[in-house]
Amino acid sequence: MITNLLRGAAAFCLAPTPLALPSPTAMATTAAVVSIPEVLPLEDAVGKLPVAEEDRTGCTRDSFKHWNTGLDPADGCNTRNEVLLAEAVQEPAVAAGCKLTGGKWLSYYGAA
């Protein structure tokens, strides 16, 4: 009797399985919706980004306390200035307290 009950329960559980699987038509429709991403060189991809006014609402440099000392706390440069120095095409002048003046950088965003 228990064997028959288990067989019946197994049959009952397997019966709705075809209802749970998507039909081939549904799968074809779903496949049509999924698009393949376009692969572009970085410069072209950045050029396709939408342009908008900068919004700094709620953002302050003080929120990034781990950026403040940089890799060498003794030189007075914070992480931002260290990155500016490392990525400069024309190195800026560095004054006391790591105050940067001058310099030149390349930017995909500004194309200069």
Side-chain angles (χ1 to χ4, degrees), residues 7-29:
R7 286 184 189 152
F12 179 76
C13 290
L14 293 175
T17 302
L19 300 174
L21 298 175
S23 67
T25 308
M27 290 192 317
T29 305

Side-chain angles (χ1 to χ4, degrees), residues 8-100:
F12 179 76
C13 290
L14 293 175
T17 302
L19 300 174
L21 298 175
S23 67
T25 308
M27 290 192 317
T29 305
T30 305
V33 173
V34 176
S35 62
I36 298 172
E38 184 179 3
V39 178
L40 298 170
L42 179 61
E43 188 172 350
D44 295 341
V46 170
K48 289 187 169 237
L49 290 173
V51 177
E53 284 294 316
E54 182 176 11
D55 180 12
R56 291 186 174 194
T57 305
C59 180
T60 63
R61 287 190 184 166
D62 295 337
S63 298
F64 301 94
K65 299 196 184 305
H66 60 285
W67 283 22
N68 290 339
T69 58
L71 291 175
D72 182 7
D75 70 0
C77 289
N78 61 25
T79 303
R80 179 180 182 273
N81 286 358
E82 286 180 352
V83 170
L84 289 172
L85 287 168
E87 296 183 357
V89 174
Q90 180 182 5
E91 196 167 308
V94 183
C98 198
K99 189 167 192 145
L100 306 180

